[in-house]
Amino acid sequence: MPPFVKICGLTTPDAVDAAIRLGATHIGLVHYEPSQRHVDLATAAALRQRAGSAVKVALLLVNAQPELTGNAITTVRPDIIQFHGSETPEWIAAVKQRLPIEAWKAIGLKDAGTLDRMQKYRGIADRILFDAPAQALPGGTGTRFDWSLLKNHRHTMDWGIAGGLDPSNVAAAIAATGAPLVDVSTGVESAPGVKDVDKMAAFLKAAGR
C-alpha cells in the first residue's frame, strides 16, 4: 500500500482542487504569520470547506496561545491540528481534552537521542511527523534530515516524514525509512508559497499515488 501523501502550505482554491484531483490524501493549511504560506483563519476556513471530505485537512500552528488555538480550531474545523513548534505533551493533551481533535506533533530529527526524547508524546500525539531540525522557521525550509536515523527504528506511534522532500527523492525517502506518510511543501513549489501542479503530480506519482 502506498504511503499517505500530505501536501502542505496550500493557499488558494486552485491549489486545493489540484491536490485533491491529483490524489493527495491530506492537505495542510498554515496559520503562522512568519511563513510565506500563512493564511488567515477566514481563508483557512474557506479552503477547508472547499476540500470537504475529499481529503483530511490539517491546520498547522506554531506555539499558538490558548485563545488563538481554540479560535483556530472552532473557526476552521480541521480534521487534524498539527503542532509545529515547541508545544509540550501537557499542552497538546489539554487542547485535545477541551477540543477533541486528531493531533500531530512535528519533531525536528537531529540525532538518535531525539527518538528517545519524543517518547514523551506517546499516547498523546496521534502522529509524529519527523522533520528537519528547526532553523529560522520551524518548517517549510526545504531542508531534509538524515533518513538513516529511522532505519530499523521500532516505531511506537503513527508517524510520517517531512523536510526537503521533492519528486526526485521521495521514492528514495520511502524506501529508506518505510514511511507510512510523506509530507511536502517547498518541494512542489515554483516560487515560495506557490504550488506547481506539475510538481505535485510528479510527487504523487513518485510516492506511488
Side-chain angles (χ1 to χ4, degrees):
M1 180 177 176
F4 297 121
V5 174
K6 174 171 168 278
I7 299 181
C8 198
L10 302 183
T11 60
T12 66
D14 285 348
V16 170
D17 292 349
I20 293 170
R21 182 177 70 252
L22 293 169
T25 59
H26 298 67
I27 63 171
L29 308 173
V30 176
H31 185 67
Y32 179 58
E33 289 189 5
S35 172
Q36 293 173 307
R37 300 159 191 88
H38 168 73
V39 288
D40 60 37
L41 292 183
T43 301
L47 295 174
R48 193 271 168 274
Q49 186 174 17
R50 189 176 187 94
S53 60
V55 290
K56 293 285 188 180
V57 178
L59 179 66
L60 186 154
L61 300 176
V62 180
N63 298 328
Q65 294 300 307
E67 184 177 359
L68 171 57
T69 300
N71 189 32
I73 294 172
T74 55
T75 300
V76 180
R77 298 186 178 279
D79 300 296
I80 301 154
I81 192 79
Q82 182 175 320
F83 295 99
H84 217 93
S86 56
E87 299 89 355
T88 64
E90 293 77 15
W91 167 237
I92 296 174
V95 171
K96 290 186 67 176
Q97 184 175 16
R98 185 171 180 181
L99 295 164
I101 190 171
E102 185 175 343
W104 294 6
K105 179 67 183 81
I107 300 287
L109 187 51
K110 182 179 181 181
D111 51 38
T114 306
L115 296 171
D116 294 326
R117 293 188 293 271
M118 73 166 198
Q119 292 299 320
K120 62 187 178 181
Y121 293 98
R122 187 178 180 183
I124 296 172
D126 296 288
R127 187 181 296 272
I128 295 294
L129 188 63
F130 295 109
D131 202 350
Q135 300 178 33
L137 291 175
T141 62
T143 304
R144 54 168 282 189
F145 64 86
D146 182 0
W147 299 331
S148 69
L149 291 170
L150 294 177
K151 187 176 182 180
N152 300 322
H153 176 66
R154 186 173 180 178
H155 295 274
T156 59
M157 294 173 274
D158 286 341
W159 61 287
I161 61 172
L165 299 178
D166 61 37
S168 71
N169 67 16
V170 65
I174 294 166
T177 65
L181 178 145
V182 291
D183 187 328
V184 65
S185 184
T186 306
V188 291
E189 292 181 344
S190 56
V194 181
K195 293 297 184 280
D196 183 290
V197 173
D198 291 338
K199 289 183 179 181
M200 286 196 289
F203 185 92
L204 284 153
K205 181 178 180 180
R209 284 282 163 186

